[in-house]
Structure formats: C-alpha cells, structure tokens
Amino acid sequence: MTVDLVVRNCTVVTPAGRTPDAGVAVEDGEIVAVGRSDRLPDADRALDAEGNVLVPGIVDGHIHNREPGLEYKEDWESATRAAAAGGVTTVVGMPNTDPVIDRPDHLELKFERGEASAHVDFQSYAVVTSENLDLIPAIDEAGALGFKIFLGSTVGDVPPPNDGEIIEAMEKIRETDKRLGFHEENGEIIDHYTEKFRAEGRNEPIDHSHSRPVIAEQEAVERMLTFAEETGAKIHMFHVSSGSAAEAVARGKERGVDVTAETTPHYLWFSEEVMREKGNPARIQPPIRNAEERAKLWEVGIDDGAIDSIATDHAPHTPEEKKVDDPFGNTWEAISGFVGLETEVPVMLTFVDQGRLTMEEWVRRHSTRPARIWGMYPQKGSLQVGTDADFTIVDPDREWTLEDADELHSKNCVTPFIGESFTGKAVATVVRGEIVAEDGDVVGESGYGTRVDVDT
C-alpha cells in the first residue's frame, strides 16, 4: 500500500499522551494511520520531522479576519496566510465586519470570500443584536458555527441587545444546540469611566486600561451565567482577561451552567506594565491586567481548569490606527487590538518549556478542546483515523526573538510581542494532508482552505 503522505521521525503528542519515534500516514486528505515510524506505509511524499513534535492542528476559535468590508486591515487570504505560517490549521472569524454578519446572506458572503482565498480551513460566528432575534433559526440553517453578543463597546460599534432580548436570544439559540459567546464587559461601567477620564485629561495608554476595570468583565460574566442558568443555553466567554472573571466562570461551572471560556496568550504573558513600556500598540479590549490578576488567571484558569481553551483575538489594524509613531500619545485617538496568529504557538510552547503546563495540556486547550466546544471534533482537533489530516509540527527547543513586524504575514502586523523571545516554533503546517507552510514560508495555495461543517 502506498499513501499520499507520510510524516516520520517525530514524537506524536495528543491530550492522551505521547508516542516517540512515530508519525502519521495520510490518504485523500484523511488520516489512515498513526503509529511507530517503521510501521507506516510507503508514500508518494515523505516528510522527515527531524525529531520534532507533531500535534493535532491548532484551532484558533477567535480571529478578526476583517472581511467583508474592512479589507484594508486584513482579509481571509492574509489572515489565513498568517495562520498557516504560525501553525494554525483552523480559524473562526468574528462577525463585526462591514456588513456585520447578522443575517444569512451576510454569513454566506463571508463563507464565499473564505472559499475563494483562504489558506487554511475556517468558520464564522454570527452576531446577535436587537434587530435580528427572529433570524436566529435561519442563521443557524445557513451554517454559522455559533453566535456572539458584544456586551461592551468594540471595533465596529455593534450595539448589544438589552437584557430581555439576550434572554430571548438564549432561548432561541438553545433550540439550535449551538453555543452563544460573549464579549463580556459591562458597557455602562466602561462608558462612565471613559467619560470621566477624558474629562480629567487622563489620556495615557494605561488610562484606557483602567477605564475598563476588572469589575466590568466580572459583572458581565456573572450576569450571563445567571441568564444561562435560567434558559439552559450553552454559553462561552471569549478572551477572559482576569483571574476574577475566571473565578466567576468556575462558580458557574460548579452550579452546572454549560459555560466554556477561553483566554489568550497575551493575557497570560504580559501584565499591564506593558502599557507603560510599549503604549498604544498593546491597547486591547478587555485590557491586559495587573500582575495580581494575571497570577490569578494562571491559578484559577489554567491550573484549576476554569479556562477551557486558548485563542488569540487576532485583531489587525494599520500602524496609523494603532499610533505606532506616537505610542504614548493620546490613547483615545488610538484603536484596540493587535495580531496574534504567528505568536500564539511560540508563546504557549514557551510556557511548556518553563514548566507552566505540559505539552499534552497545551494540545488539549489549543486544539482538541476548542474543536469540541464549537462542534468541529473529531474532524478537527484530533489525530483519529478517518478524520481530517490536520496537524502542526513544532520544534519545542528552538530559541528565537521576534525582531520586527516585517517577519509576520498579516496585512498589518502591529503587536506588543515585537522584541519578545520564545522557546518553540511551528515548523510545518498540514491541512487535510497538504503542507501549507514550512519553516515559516507559506507554500500552500490561496483558496485551498474550506468551510468546516459543524456537528452539534
């Protein structure tokens, strides 16, 4: 028997454990064997992993690809090019585009654009507003991965429904068996402090962070947990930034609420001191928290398990929008968000190298668990025979520093990770049996990526 592709000479790692001197065999885009290198079949193409580690393809359930409508910031092609280079095999786009993804035809447009240009596989959320509650069943039928509500102000200024409408939305989404995620910040608290700080002339980047206090995040989590407990909806907390919010998630889980939560590499890596060191390029919503909240996020979220998954909130903006040339200028004239698709794997591997978590635990949170949360498992997030041949090969020992934004593949590459040093890097990315990136070079074709079918 000869297959299309065989990868040999690696350690295969899944949440269940690791197998040394092993590999994977692929035929017609699916995994046909996983096992010891010397027991794998011959292949038309063989890839020597050179002793590195092979894991199920990384799933990033939270990116802003900006298409349709904001392509000057990013588009499906550039976002998924960055994903491929960074070792990410599946991405999920956010709905705050132009037009917003709030009805079936807008969702179908987003899918069509992705099919035309994506390098890796993809999906999309749809937004819930006061105007589209009756469209939830039709959006579900159109194939949305899940739903999202922006509770606080965000890029695109998508207004949230009121609390009664949120409860009604939860009841409707419960019937679809899909999950409703939140940008969980209390907008009234944020608006109060933003207006207060601006009136007082508090215009430094750290002031933006303090205008969005932890209580704004914690209260929003608690409120949505209460609503979900009442309605029986499945909910998700995007980009949990603080240990206090992670504690709220943990309390919800203890009460039996079907709640999942993610955090990002930047909340685990940085403290709010980065705002004083790097300024507006590190501005993001929710903001990066103080060292005490970061320590609690690690303890409660990672060590004790309140946080289910890792994602980036990859959010490209132009250098002008980020005030790169004036990083400590008036923060209210800057915009929030930065890229993350090419630093997420190195950050998490660095934590593995530091002993903060095991390789198996990293894989569970960055591949298997997000695929399960959003109904893509086992086609994504596993190395099971008969599933999509998505995997990422990483060199866990490679030491390197991100010297310049020009090393990255997005259209706009502002990130506070410039100048940071890592141990670990993706060296090959395989999507449905095709090598789409090697050693940081994207070798796959635009348009190869396809929409992921959802199994709820």
Side-chain angles (χ1 to χ4, degrees), residues 243-278:
S244 295
E247 287 179 329
V249 171
R251 290 191 290 271
K253 289 176 184 281
E254 290 169 1
R255 299 204 311 261
V257 178
D258 190 344
V259 56
T260 55
E262 75 187 30
T263 193
T264 72
H266 50 267
Y267 296 131
L268 296 172
W269 184 275
F270 293 112
S271 75
E272 69 173 21
E273 288 306 308
V274 73
M275 303 307 298
R276 296 184 174 96
E277 296 165 0
K278 300 187 179 184

PDB file of all heavy atoms in Angstrom, residues 243-278:
ATOM      1  N   GLY A 243      -8.147  37.031  36.414  1.00  0.00           N
ATOM      2  CA  GLY A 243      -8.415  35.920  37.308  1.00  0.00           C
ATOM      3  C   GLY A 243      -9.769  36.037  37.976  1.00  0.00           C
ATOM      4  O   GLY A 243     -10.427  35.025  38.241  1.00  0.00           O
ATOM      5  N   SER A 244     -10.213  37.260  38.242  1.00  0.00           N
ATOM      6  CA  SER A 244     -11.520  37.447  38.870  1.00  0.00           C
ATOM      7  C   SER A 244     -12.646  36.951  37.962  1.00  0.00           C
ATOM      8  O   SER A 244     -13.619  36.344  38.430  1.00  0.00           O
ATOM      9  CB  SER A 244     -11.730  38.924  39.217  1.00  0.00           C
ATOM     10  OG  SER A 244     -10.797  39.347  40.194  1.00  0.00           O
ATOM     11  N   ALA A 245     -12.533  37.207  36.655  1.00  0.00           N
ATOM     12  CA  ALA A 245     -13.535  36.687  35.720  1.00  0.00           C
ATOM     13  C   ALA A 245     -13.444  35.170  35.619  1.00  0.00           C
ATOM     14  O   ALA A 245     -14.472  34.489  35.502  1.00  0.00           O
ATOM     15  CB  ALA A 245     -13.358  37.333  34.351  1.00  0.00           C
ATOM     16  N   ALA A 246     -12.224  34.622  35.667  1.00  0.00           N
ATOM     17  CA  ALA A 246     -12.066  33.165  35.649  1.00  0.00           C
ATOM     18  C   ALA A 246     -12.719  32.537  36.874  1.00  0.00           C
ATOM     19  O   ALA A 246     -13.319  31.455  36.799  1.00  0.00           O
ATOM     20  CB  ALA A 246     -10.592  32.792  35.567  1.00  0.00           C
ATOM     21  N   GLU A 247     -12.605  33.214  38.028  1.00  0.00           N
ATOM     22  CA  GLU A 247     -13.277  32.716  39.228  1.00  0.00           C
ATOM     23  C   GLU A 247     -14.795  32.681  39.030  1.00  0.00           C
ATOM     24  O   GLU A 247     -15.469  31.742  39.480  1.00  0.00           O
ATOM     25  CB  GLU A 247     -12.930  33.600  40.421  1.00  0.00           C
ATOM     26  CG  GLU A 247     -11.512  33.416  40.942  1.00  0.00           C
ATOM     27  CD  GLU A 247     -11.187  34.334  42.107  1.00  0.00           C
ATOM     28  OE1 GLU A 247     -11.743  35.452  42.157  1.00  0.00           O
ATOM     29  OE2 GLU A 247     -10.387  33.926  42.960  1.00  0.00           O
ATOM     30  N   ALA A 248     -15.336  33.698  38.371  1.00  0.00           N
ATOM     31  CA  ALA A 248     -16.771  33.713  38.095  1.00  0.00           C
ATOM     32  C   ALA A 248     -17.159  32.540  37.202  1.00  0.00           C
ATOM     33  O   ALA A 248     -18.189  31.879  37.430  1.00  0.00           O
ATOM     34  CB  ALA A 248     -17.168  35.041  37.446  1.00  0.00           C
ATOM     35  N   VAL A 249     -16.350  32.279  36.169  1.00  0.00           N
ATOM     36  CA  VAL A 249     -16.605  31.127  35.297  1.00  0.00           C
ATOM     37  C   VAL A 249     -16.605  29.840  36.118  1.00  0.00           C
ATOM     38  O   VAL A 249     -17.472  28.968  35.945  1.00  0.00           O
ATOM     39  CB  VAL A 249     -15.566  31.058  34.165  1.00  0.00           C
ATOM     40  CG1 VAL A 249     -15.695  29.746  33.395  1.00  0.00           C
ATOM     41  CG2 VAL A 249     -15.728  32.242  33.208  1.00  0.00           C
ATOM     42  N   ALA A 250     -15.634  29.708  37.004  1.00  0.00           N
ATOM     43  CA  ALA A 250     -15.536  28.499  37.831  1.00  0.00           C
ATOM     44  C   ALA A 250     -16.793  28.320  38.675  1.00  0.00           C
ATOM     45  O   ALA A 250     -17.305  27.199  38.825  1.00  0.00           O
ATOM     46  CB  ALA A 250     -14.295  28.563  38.715  1.00  0.00           C
ATOM     47  N   ARG A 251     -17.292  29.414  39.234  1.00  0.00           N
ATOM     48  CA  ARG A 251     -18.527  29.323  40.025  1.00  0.00           C
ATOM     49  C   ARG A 251     -19.699  28.874  39.162  1.00  0.00           C
ATOM     50  O   ARG A 251     -20.564  28.104  39.601  1.00  0.00           O
ATOM     51  CB  ARG A 251     -18.822  30.661  40.688  1.00  0.00           C
ATOM     52  CG  ARG A 251     -17.844  31.020  41.813  1.00  0.00           C
ATOM     53  CD  ARG A 251     -18.330  32.220  42.615  1.00  0.00           C
ATOM     54  NE  ARG A 251     -18.268  33.471  41.869  1.00  0.00           N
ATOM     55  CZ  ARG A 251     -17.215  34.282  41.839  1.00  0.00           C
ATOM     56  NH1 ARG A 251     -16.117  33.964  42.508  1.00  0.00           N
ATOM     57  NH2 ARG A 251     -17.249  35.423  41.155  1.00  0.00           N
ATOM     58  N   GLY A 252     -19.745  29.363  37.913  1.00  0.00           N
ATOM     59  CA  GLY A 252     -20.802  28.926  37.009  1.00  0.00           C
ATOM     60  C   GLY A 252     -20.722  27.445  36.702  1.00  0.00           C
ATOM     61  O   GLY A 252     -21.748  26.737  36.682  1.00  0.00           O
ATOM     62  N   LYS A 253     -19.526  26.962  36.456  1.00  0.00           N
ATOM     63  CA  LYS A 253     -19.346  25.534  36.196  1.00  0.00           C
ATOM     64  C   LYS A 253     -19.800  24.710  37.400  1.00  0.00           C
ATOM     65  O   LYS A 253     -20.456  23.657  37.245  1.00  0.00           O
ATOM     66  CB  LYS A 253     -17.875  25.243  35.873  1.00  0.00           C
ATOM     67  CG  LYS A 253     -17.390  25.761  34.518  1.00  0.00           C
ATOM     68  CD  LYS A 253     -15.889  25.506  34.356  1.00  0.00           C
ATOM     69  CE  LYS A 253     -15.340  26.082  33.058  1.00  0.00           C
ATOM     70  NZ  LYS A 253     -15.624  25.231  31.887  1.00  0.00           N
ATOM     71  N   GLU A 254     -19.443  25.185  38.606  1.00  0.00           N
ATOM     72  CA  GLU A 254     -19.838  24.464  39.821  1.00  0.00           C
ATOM     73  C   GLU A 254     -21.354  24.401  39.965  1.00  0.00           C
ATOM     74  O   GLU A 254     -21.893  23.430  40.519  1.00  0.00           O
ATOM     75  CB  GLU A 254     -19.221  25.144  41.045  1.00  0.00           C
ATOM     76  CG  GLU A 254     -17.708  24.967  41.139  1.00  0.00           C
ATOM     77  CD  GLU A 254     -17.076  25.865  42.195  1.00  0.00           C
ATOM     78  OE1 GLU A 254     -17.831  26.614  42.867  1.00  0.00           O
ATOM     79  OE2 GLU A 254     -15.833  25.830  42.331  1.00  0.00           O
ATOM     80  N   ARG A 255     -22.061  25.426  39.483  1.00  0.00           N
ATOM     81  CA  ARG A 255     -23.532  25.442  39.562  1.00  0.00           C
ATOM     82  C   ARG A 255     -24.178  24.609  38.462  1.00  0.00           C
ATOM     83  O   ARG A 255     -25.405  24.476  38.434  1.00  0.00           O
ATOM     84  CB  ARG A 255     -24.045  26.885  39.452  1.00  0.00           C
ATOM     85  CG  ARG A 255     -23.575  27.801  40.539  1.00  0.00           C
ATOM     86  CD  ARG A 255     -24.519  28.982  40.751  1.00  0.00           C
ATOM     87  NE  ARG A 255     -24.906  29.693  39.554  1.00  0.00           N
ATOM     88  CZ  ARG A 255     -24.346  30.842  39.135  1.00  0.00           C
ATOM     89  NH1 ARG A 255     -23.325  31.361  39.815  1.00  0.00           N
ATOM     90  NH2 ARG A 255     -24.795  31.460  38.065  1.00  0.00           N
ATOM     91  N   GLY A 256     -23.383  24.099  37.548  1.00  0.00           N
ATOM     92  CA  GLY A 256     -23.926  23.264  36.485  1.00  0.00           C
ATOM     93  C   GLY A 256     -24.276  24.003  35.216  1.00  0.00           C
ATOM     94  O   GLY A 256     -24.892  23.425  34.307  1.00  0.00           O
ATOM     95  N   VAL A 257     -23.892  25.286  35.103  1.00  0.00           N
ATOM     96  CA  VAL A 257     -24.121  26.026  33.867  1.00  0.00           C
ATOM     97  C   VAL A 257     -23.202  25.463  32.781  1.00  0.00           C
ATOM     98  O   VAL A 257     -22.020  25.190  33.028  1.00  0.00           O
ATOM     99  CB  VAL A 257     -23.848  27.531  34.065  1.00  0.00           C
ATOM    100  CG1 VAL A 257     -24.050  28.292  32.765  1.00  0.00           C
ATOM    101  CG2 VAL A 257     -24.747  28.086  35.158  1.00  0.00           C
ATOM    102  N   ASP A 258     -23.732  25.295  31.582  1.00  0.00           N
ATOM    103  CA  ASP A 258     -22.913  24.815  30.455  1.00  0.00           C
ATOM    104  C   ASP A 258     -22.149  26.016  29.904  1.00  0.00           C
ATOM    105  O   ASP A 258     -22.518  26.623  28.904  1.00  0.00           O
ATOM    106  CB  ASP A 258     -23.785  24.186  29.374  1.00  0.00           C
ATOM    107  CG  ASP A 258     -22.969  23.468  28.305  1.00  0.00           C
ATOM    108  OD1 ASP A 258     -21.744  23.706  28.221  1.00  0.00           O
ATOM    109  OD2 ASP A 258     -23.547  22.654  27.558  1.00  0.00           O
ATOM    110  N   VAL A 259     -21.068  26.378  30.591  1.00  0.00           N
ATOM    111  CA  VAL A 259     -20.254  27.528  30.219  1.00  0.00           C
ATOM    112  C   VAL A 259     -18.831  27.070  29.916  1.00  0.00           C
ATOM    113  O   VAL A 259     -18.258  26.268  30.656  1.00  0.00           O
ATOM    114  CB  VAL A 259     -20.245  28.610  31.320  1.00  0.00           C
ATOM    115  CG1 VAL A 259     -19.775  28.060  32.666  1.00  0.00           C
ATOM    116  CG2 VAL A 259     -19.386  29.801  30.903  1.00  0.00           C
ATOM    117  N   THR A 260     -18.293  27.571  28.815  1.00  0.00           N
ATOM    118  CA  THR A 260     -16.889  27.363  28.491  1.00  0.00           C
ATOM    119  C   THR A 260     -16.234  28.744  28.403  1.00  0.00           C
ATOM    120  O   THR A 260     -16.905  29.766  28.304  1.00  0.00           O
ATOM    121  CB  THR A 260     -16.719  26.611  27.167  1.00  0.00           C
ATOM    122  OG1 THR A 260     -17.429  27.319  26.125  1.00  0.00           O
ATOM    123  CG2 THR A 260     -17.270  25.192  27.269  1.00  0.00           C
ATOM    124  N   ALA A 261     -14.915  28.754  28.448  1.00  0.00           N
ATOM    125  CA  ALA A 261     -14.209  30.030  28.451  1.00  0.00           C
ATOM    126  C   ALA A 261     -12.851  29.867  27.795  1.00  0.00           C
ATOM    127  O   ALA A 261     -12.239  28.800  27.842  1.00  0.00           O
ATOM    128  CB  ALA A 261     -14.039  30.548  29.880  1.00  0.00           C
ATOM    129  N   GLU A 262     -12.386  30.964  27.194  1.00  0.00           N
ATOM    130  CA  GLU A 262     -11.058  30.993  26.594  1.00  0.00           C
ATOM    131  C   GLU A 262     -10.266  32.148  27.183  1.00  0.00           C
ATOM    132  O   GLU A 262     -10.835  33.138  27.667  1.00  0.00           O
ATOM    133  CB  GLU A 262     -11.143  31.168  25.070  1.00  0.00           C
ATOM    134  CG  GLU A 262     -11.509  32.588  24.679  1.00  0.00           C
ATOM    135  CD  GLU A 262     -11.769  32.824  23.204  1.00  0.00           C
ATOM    136  OE1 GLU A 262     -12.220  31.897  22.513  1.00  0.00           O
ATOM    137  OE2 GLU A 262     -11.549  33.966  22.762  1.00  0.00           O
ATOM    138  N   THR A 263      -8.963  32.032  27.135  1.00  0.00           N
ATOM    139  CA  THR A 263      -8.107  33.180  27.350  1.00  0.00           C
ATOM    140  C   THR A 263      -7.115  33.238  26.199  1.00  0.00           C
ATOM    141  O   THR A 263      -7.152  32.397  25.300  1.00  0.00           O
ATOM    142  CB  THR A 263      -7.399  33.150  28.708  1.00  0.00           C
ATOM    143  OG1 THR A 263      -6.814  34.447  28.963  1.00  0.00           O
ATOM    144  CG2 THR A 263      -6.308  32.090  28.769  1.00  0.00           C
ATOM    145  N   THR A 264      -6.255  34.245  26.219  1.00  0.00           N
ATOM    146  CA  THR A 264      -5.340  34.471  25.106  1.00  0.00           C
ATOM    147  C   THR A 264      -3.896  34.431  25.580  1.00  0.00           C
ATOM    148  O   THR A 264      -3.612  34.656  26.770  1.00  0.00           O
ATOM    149  CB  THR A 264      -5.594  35.844  24.464  1.00  0.00           C
ATOM    150  OG1 THR A 264      -5.125  36.856  25.364  1.00  0.00           O
ATOM    151  CG2 THR A 264      -7.068  36.061  24.164  1.00  0.00           C
ATOM    152  N   PRO A 265      -2.972  34.191  24.675  1.00  0.00           N
ATOM    153  CA  PRO A 265      -1.557  34.229  25.068  1.00  0.00           C
ATOM    154  C   PRO A 265      -1.134  35.560  25.677  1.00  0.00           C
ATOM    155  O   PRO A 265      -0.328  35.576  26.614  1.00  0.00           O
ATOM    156  CB  PRO A 265      -0.826  33.951  23.747  1.00  0.00           C
ATOM    157  CG  PRO A 265      -1.782  33.091  22.970  1.00  0.00           C
ATOM    158  CD  PRO A 265      -3.138  33.669  23.298  1.00  0.00           C
ATOM    159  N   HIS A 266      -1.681  36.690  25.180  1.00  0.00           N
ATOM    160  CA  HIS A 266      -1.201  37.964  25.710  1.00  0.00           C
ATOM    161  C   HIS A 266      -1.642  38.209  27.148  1.00  0.00           C
ATOM    162  O   HIS A 266      -0.923  38.861  27.905  1.00  0.00           O
ATOM    163  CB  HIS A 266      -1.594  39.145  24.803  1.00  0.00           C
ATOM    164  CG  HIS A 266      -3.019  39.229  24.404  1.00  0.00           C
ATOM    165  ND1 HIS A 266      -3.502  38.675  23.232  1.00  0.00           N
ATOM    166  CD2 HIS A 266      -4.079  39.821  24.995  1.00  0.00           C
ATOM    167  CE1 HIS A 266      -4.792  38.931  23.131  1.00  0.00           C
ATOM    168  NE2 HIS A 266      -5.167  39.624  24.184  1.00  0.00           N
ATOM    169  N   TYR A 267      -2.787  37.706  27.551  1.00  0.00           N
ATOM    170  CA  TYR A 267      -3.188  37.882  28.946  1.00  0.00           C
ATOM    171  C   TYR A 267      -2.339  37.020  29.881  1.00  0.00           C
ATOM    172  O   TYR A 267      -2.134  37.376  31.043  1.00  0.00           O
ATOM    173  CB  TYR A 267      -4.669  37.546  29.139  1.00  0.00           C
ATOM    174  CG  TYR A 267      -5.604  38.467  28.404  1.00  0.00           C
ATOM    175  CD1 TYR A 267      -6.634  37.970  27.618  1.00  0.00           C
ATOM    176  CD2 TYR A 267      -5.458  39.852  28.498  1.00  0.00           C
ATOM    177  CE1 TYR A 267      -7.503  38.810  26.945  1.00  0.00           C
ATOM    178  CE2 TYR A 267      -6.315  40.705  27.815  1.00  0.00           C
ATOM    179  CZ  TYR A 267      -7.335  40.179  27.040  1.00  0.00           C
ATOM    180  OH  TYR A 267      -8.185  41.019  26.365  1.00  0.00           O
ATOM    181  N   LEU A 268      -1.870  35.885  29.388  1.00  0.00           N
ATOM    182  CA  LEU A 268      -1.016  35.009  30.196  1.00  0.00           C
ATOM    183  C   LEU A 268       0.441  35.484  30.219  1.00  0.00           C
ATOM    184  O   LEU A 268       1.171  35.216  31.171  1.00  0.00           O
ATOM    185  CB  LEU A 268      -1.080  33.574  29.651  1.00  0.00           C
ATOM    186  CG  LEU A 268      -2.441  32.886  29.728  1.00  0.00           C
ATOM    187  CD1 LEU A 268      -2.399  31.555  28.979  1.00  0.00           C
ATOM    188  CD2 LEU A 268      -2.868  32.664  31.178  1.00  0.00           C
ATOM    189  N   TRP A 269       0.850  36.207  29.186  1.00  0.00           N
ATOM    190  CA  TRP A 269       2.258  36.590  29.020  1.00  0.00           C
ATOM    191  C   TRP A 269       2.565  37.937  29.667  1.00  0.00           C
ATOM    192  O   TRP A 269       3.540  38.087  30.406  1.00  0.00           O
ATOM    193  CB  TRP A 269       2.579  36.638  27.531  1.00  0.00           C
ATOM    194  CG  TRP A 269       4.013  36.917  27.155  1.00  0.00           C
ATOM    195  CD1 TRP A 269       4.610  38.141  27.039  1.00  0.00           C
ATOM    196  CD2 TRP A 269       5.012  35.957  26.802  1.00  0.00           C
ATOM    197  NE1 TRP A 269       5.916  38.014  26.629  1.00  0.00           N
ATOM    198  CE2 TRP A 269       6.193  36.677  26.477  1.00  0.00           C
ATOM    199  CE3 TRP A 269       5.032  34.565  26.716  1.00  0.00           C
ATOM    200  CZ2 TRP A 269       7.374  36.056  26.093  1.00  0.00           C
ATOM    201  CZ3 TRP A 269       6.209  33.936  26.322  1.00  0.00           C
ATOM    202  CH2 TRP A 269       7.364  34.662  26.014  1.00  0.00           C
ATOM    203  N   PHE A 270       1.744  38.938  29.387  1.00  0.00           N
ATOM    204  CA  PHE A 270       2.018  40.308  29.812  1.00  0.00           C
ATOM    205  C   PHE A 270       1.241  40.667  31.079  1.00  0.00           C
ATOM    206  O   PHE A 270       0.208  40.078  31.379  1.00  0.00           O
ATOM    207  CB  PHE A 270       1.602  41.308  28.720  1.00  0.00           C
ATOM    208  CG  PHE A 270       2.409  41.239  27.456  1.00  0.00           C
ATOM    209  CD1 PHE A 270       1.836  40.787  26.268  1.00  0.00           C
ATOM    210  CD2 PHE A 270       3.741  41.626  27.432  1.00  0.00           C
ATOM    211  CE1 PHE A 270       2.558  40.737  25.088  1.00  0.00           C
ATOM    212  CE2 PHE A 270       4.481  41.582  26.259  1.00  0.00           C
ATOM    213  CZ  PHE A 270       3.891  41.141  25.091  1.00  0.00           C
ATOM    214  N   SER A 271       1.723  41.673  31.791  1.00  0.00           N
ATOM    215  CA  SER A 271       0.923  42.388  32.783  1.00  0.00           C
ATOM    216  C   SER A 271       0.695  43.796  32.247  1.00  0.00           C
ATOM    217  O   SER A 271       1.255  44.190  31.214  1.00  0.00           O
ATOM    218  CB  SER A 271       1.629  42.444  34.133  1.00  0.00           C
ATOM    219  OG  SER A 271       2.688  43.398  34.106  1.00  0.00           O
ATOM    220  N   GLU A 272      -0.103  44.587  32.972  1.00  0.00           N
ATOM    221  CA  GLU A 272      -0.423  45.918  32.468  1.00  0.00           C
ATOM    222  C   GLU A 272       0.803  46.828  32.356  1.00  0.00           C
ATOM    223  O   GLU A 272       0.722  47.893  31.742  1.00  0.00           O
ATOM    224  CB  GLU A 272      -1.481  46.578  33.335  1.00  0.00           C
ATOM    225  CG  GLU A 272      -1.022  46.960  34.727  1.00  0.00           C
ATOM    226  CD  GLU A 272      -2.075  47.756  35.483  1.00  0.00           C
ATOM    227  OE1 GLU A 272      -3.269  47.685  35.119  1.00  0.00           O
ATOM    228  OE2 GLU A 272      -1.693  48.457  36.439  1.00  0.00           O
ATOM    229  N   GLU A 273       1.937  46.404  32.911  1.00  0.00           N
ATOM    230  CA  GLU A 273       3.153  47.200  32.760  1.00  0.00           C
ATOM    231  C   GLU A 273       3.539  47.354  31.289  1.00  0.00           C
ATOM    232  O   GLU A 273       4.252  48.285  30.918  1.00  0.00           O
ATOM    233  CB  GLU A 273       4.310  46.573  33.539  1.00  0.00           C
ATOM    234  CG  GLU A 273       4.165  46.716  35.051  1.00  0.00           C
ATOM    235  CD  GLU A 273       3.967  48.165  35.478  1.00  0.00           C
ATOM    236  OE1 GLU A 273       4.790  49.023  35.074  1.00  0.00           O
ATOM    237  OE2 GLU A 273       2.986  48.451  36.197  1.00  0.00           O
ATOM    238  N   VAL A 274       3.054  46.436  30.432  1.00  0.00           N
ATOM    239  CA  VAL A 274       3.351  46.551  29.006  1.00  0.00           C
ATOM    240  C   VAL A 274       2.775  47.848  28.436  1.00  0.00           C
ATOM    241  O   VAL A 274       3.301  48.398  27.464  1.00  0.00           O
ATOM    242  CB  VAL A 274       2.832  45.326  28.223  1.00  0.00           C
ATOM    243  CG1 VAL A 274       1.312  45.328  28.091  1.00  0.00           C
ATOM    244  CG2 VAL A 274       3.480  45.238  26.845  1.00  0.00           C
ATOM    245  N   MET A 275       1.711  48.364  29.050  1.00  0.00           N
ATOM    246  CA  MET A 275       1.134  49.620  28.575  1.00  0.00           C
ATOM    247  C   MET A 275       2.082  50.784  28.837  1.00  0.00           C
ATOM    248  O   MET A 275       2.137  51.740  28.056  1.00  0.00           O
ATOM    249  CB  MET A 275      -0.209  49.885  29.260  1.00  0.00           C
ATOM    250  CG  MET A 275      -1.249  48.790  29.080  1.00  0.00           C
ATOM    251  SD  MET A 275      -1.532  48.350  27.352  1.00  0.00           S
ATOM    252  CE  MET A 275      -2.133  49.887  26.687  1.00  0.00           C
ATOM    253  N   ARG A 276       2.830  50.697  29.916  1.00  0.00           N
ATOM    254  CA  ARG A 276       3.809  51.745  30.224  1.00  0.00           C
ATOM    255  C   ARG A 276       5.096  51.568  29.427  1.00  0.00           C
ATOM    256  O   ARG A 276       5.840  52.520  29.212  1.00  0.00           O
ATOM    257  CB  ARG A 276       4.105  51.741  31.716  1.00  0.00           C
ATOM    258  CG  ARG A 276       2.885  52.103  32.578  1.00  0.00           C
ATOM    259  CD  ARG A 276       3.242  52.194  34.052  1.00  0.00           C
ATOM    260  NE  ARG A 276       2.108  52.678  34.842  1.00  0.00           N
ATOM    261  CZ  ARG A 276       1.260  51.879  35.472  1.00  0.00           C
ATOM    262  NH1 ARG A 276       1.405  50.572  35.397  1.00  0.00           N
ATOM    263  NH2 ARG A 276       0.256  52.399  36.179  1.00  0.00           N
ATOM    264  N   GLU A 277       5.345  50.332  28.992  1.00  0.00           N
ATOM    265  CA  GLU A 277       6.576  50.044  28.244  1.00  0.00           C
ATOM    266  C   GLU A 277       6.394  50.214  26.737  1.00  0.00           C
ATOM    267  O   GLU A 277       7.298  50.690  26.054  1.00  0.00           O
ATOM    268  CB  GLU A 277       7.027  48.608  28.542  1.00  0.00           C
ATOM    269  CG  GLU A 277       7.419  48.383  30.001  1.00  0.00           C
ATOM    270  CD  GLU A 277       7.515  46.913  30.339  1.00  0.00           C
ATOM    271  OE1 GLU A 277       7.274  46.072  29.436  1.00  0.00           O
ATOM    272  OE2 GLU A 277       7.801  46.587  31.510  1.00  0.00           O
ATOM    273  N   LYS A 278       5.209  49.834  26.223  1.00  0.00           N
ATOM    274  CA  LYS A 278       5.011  49.815  24.765  1.00  0.00           C
ATOM    275  C   LYS A 278       3.841  50.676  24.313  1.00  0.00           C
ATOM    276  O   LYS A 278       3.696  50.930  23.112  1.00  0.00           O
ATOM    277  CB  LYS A 278       4.841  48.372  24.286  1.00  0.00           C
ATOM    278  CG  LYS A 278       6.056  47.500  24.606  1.00  0.00           C
ATOM    279  CD  LYS A 278       5.979  46.115  23.993  1.00  0.00           C
ATOM    280  CE  LYS A 278       7.228  45.310  24.325  1.00  0.00           C
ATOM    281  NZ  LYS A 278       7.255  43.977  23.677  1.00  0.00           N
TER     282      LYS A 278
END
